Amino acid sequence: MSDFTFIASVNAIRYTGADVLLVDSEPRTWNMDTEMLRDHVVRRATRGGRLPDIVEVVHALGHPADLEPLLELRERFGIRIVEDAAESLGAGWSGGPLSGRQTGTLGEFGCYSFNGNKIITTGAGGMITTDDPDDAARAKHLTTQAKVQASSYLHDDVGYNYRLSNLSAALGVAQLEQLPGRIHRKRQIARHYAEQLRELPLTLPPHAQWADPTFWLYSVLVDPSRSEPETVVARLAADGVEARLVWRPMHRQPPYATADRLNGSIADRLHDLGISLPSSAHLTTEQQRRVSAGLSAALTVPG
Ligand SMILES: *Cc1c(COP(=O)(O)O)cnc(C)c1O
């Protein structure tokens, strides 16, 4: 499981009773260091150690994770892949062997969220995708309390009330028509930020050579010798601009503080230095200029 994410990703694992191993990020994508995980699994396999059944990999903030090492693990050890694409609908690969693919379409399952803050929304709810008809049927069955037969109230498993209502689904279908425009707008906002923030002492969001990110939530890292995110976020708030710290890693959340993990220092760094800027597709050009000017002022005020 990726250490750097929103807590919903890892809670889904705990609900099943499975053990969690948190895997740190890598600087090229800010996502799971899949090469480190691959090497760890290969070493364990050589020693006859216990191997993971499933890797849940998060494509955070609209940038795809490097999946190739995970595809290798699936090939060699049968380790299945679940992609949390909640923040990356529309992102994909522009180069390398996965060129043309989109996040959420390579694992056994892809997971999407249509929460209000995502690129398209149904108010709440989400979607899972799979190309296996049996898995699809089973997932659908479980979303509706594993109901076998409505007329006699027979349930053959412990299910959930996890389905999207028809009303929400109708909204989702209409939202889907907006998706290309939203993706276009997110990328445009990212380009404008890149131009406007160019001269500031910041690390701009990752964009790996092989990736086609959407920049769902445009996030930057401050230079720790010059400023700290809490102060910058507070100064922006005083200026009427809402910015936020980036995800607090899972190993720093009370329910997962004692979970096994592979490193965690990169995820720590992202949280300790990161600021997420207003990134709504509805942000106007004028508002965005104000955000950039406010950030510039917040970074240059002494103290
Ligand atoms: C929003 C989000 C989720 C949760 O989605 P819900 O629809 O709120 O359940 C899961 N994972 C990530 C990475 C998210 O950003």
Side-chain angles (χ1 to χ4, degrees):
M1 173 70 221
S2 307
D3 192 353
F4 178 68
T5 184
F6 176 61
I7 200 163
S9 320
V10 64
N11 283 347
I13 299 179
R14 271 291 170 84
Y15 298 154
T16 72
D19 294 325
V20 175
L21 171 69
L22 299 170
V23 183
D24 199 5
S25 292
E26 47 96 1
R28 281 174 316 151
T29 66
W30 295 6
N31 284 310
M32 181 189 283
D33 188 336
T34 52
E35 288 181 4
M36 176 171 70
L37 176 63
R38 178 196 54 204
D39 297 347
H40 170 81
V41 168
V42 169
R43 273 197 308 276
R44 284 188 80 114
T46 317
R47 291 201 312 261
R50 191 179 162 211
L51 300 185
D53 286 320
I54 296 173
V55 178
E56 184 188 335
V57 60
V58 181
H59 304 289
L61 306 174
H63 193 294
D66 178 7
L67 282 195
E68 284 179 56
L70 301 186
L71 299 177
E72 194 184 320
L73 287 179
R74 177 161 72 184
E75 185 77 22
R76 285 180 66 181
F77 304 108
I79 298 172
R80 290 165 294 170
I81 302 168
V82 172
E83 294 176 78
D84 180 342
E87 302 178 8
S88 68
L89 179 58
W93 285 263
S94 59
L98 301 180
S99 184
R101 301 296 295 261
Q102 294 208 357
T103 55
T105 68
L106 290 143
E108 271 63 25
F109 291 98
C111 310
Y112 301 87
S113 168
F114 304 134
N115 191 39
N117 62 344
K118 300 307 199 288
I119 193 160
I120 60 171
T121 183
T122 57
M127 174 174 80
I128 61 177
T129 54
T130 176
D131 58 4
D132 182 313
D134 293 336
D135 283 345
R138 174 143 178 80
K140 198 167 180 185
H141 184 57
L142 289 173
T143 62
T144 311
Q145 302 293 16
K147 182 169 63 192
V148 178
Q149 205 185 24
S151 59
S152 67
Y153 293 102
L154 178 65
H155 305 265
D156 65 357
D157 206 338
V158 179
Y160 306 88
N161 181 13
Y162 274 4
R163 67 193 175 282
L164 198 68
S165 75
N166 290 342
L167 283 175
S168 301
L171 187 58
V173 170
Q175 283 274 302
L176 211 47
E177 294 171 6
Q178 308 288 324
L179 183 61
R182 300 261 171 94
I183 295 168
H184 176 76
R185 184 68 190 121
K186 293 274 185 188
R187 289 180 175 149
Q188 196 174 44
I189 289 171
R191 272 201 308 279
H192 291 162
Y193 271 139
E195 285 159 22
Q196 292 163 6
L197 307 178
R198 203 177 46 210
E199 310 283 336
L200 299 178
L202 293 169
T203 303
L204 299 185
H207 185 167
Q209 235 175 19
W210 44 264
D212 203 8
T214 56
F215 301 96
W216 166 68
L217 184 56
Y218 195 91
S219 305
V220 296
L221 306 181
V222 302
D223 174 347
S225 68
R226 303 166 75 144
S227 34
E228 54 171 28
E230 283 89 350
T231 318
V232 174
V233 166
R235 281 179 184 153
L236 283 169
D239 201 16
V241 173
E242 186 191 14
R244 297 201 186 164
L245 304 185
V246 310
W247 305 134
R248 181 186 304 270
M250 294 306 106
H251 74 263
R252 283 160 72 180
Q253 306 287 355
Y256 299 101
T258 58
D260 288 338
R261 62 181 158 114
L262 290 183
N263 201 0
S265 58
I266 306 278
D268 273 335
R269 209 176 102 81
L270 296 173
H271 175 69
D272 293 341
L273 306 181
I275 302 176
S276 294
L277 299 177
S279 309
S280 164
H282 304 297
L283 195 71
T284 66
T285 309
E286 185 44 42
Q287 287 169 330
Q288 187 176 5
R289 272 203 214 96
R290 239 192 92 204
V291 173
S292 295
L295 182 58
S296 172
L299 287 169
T300 47
V301 170

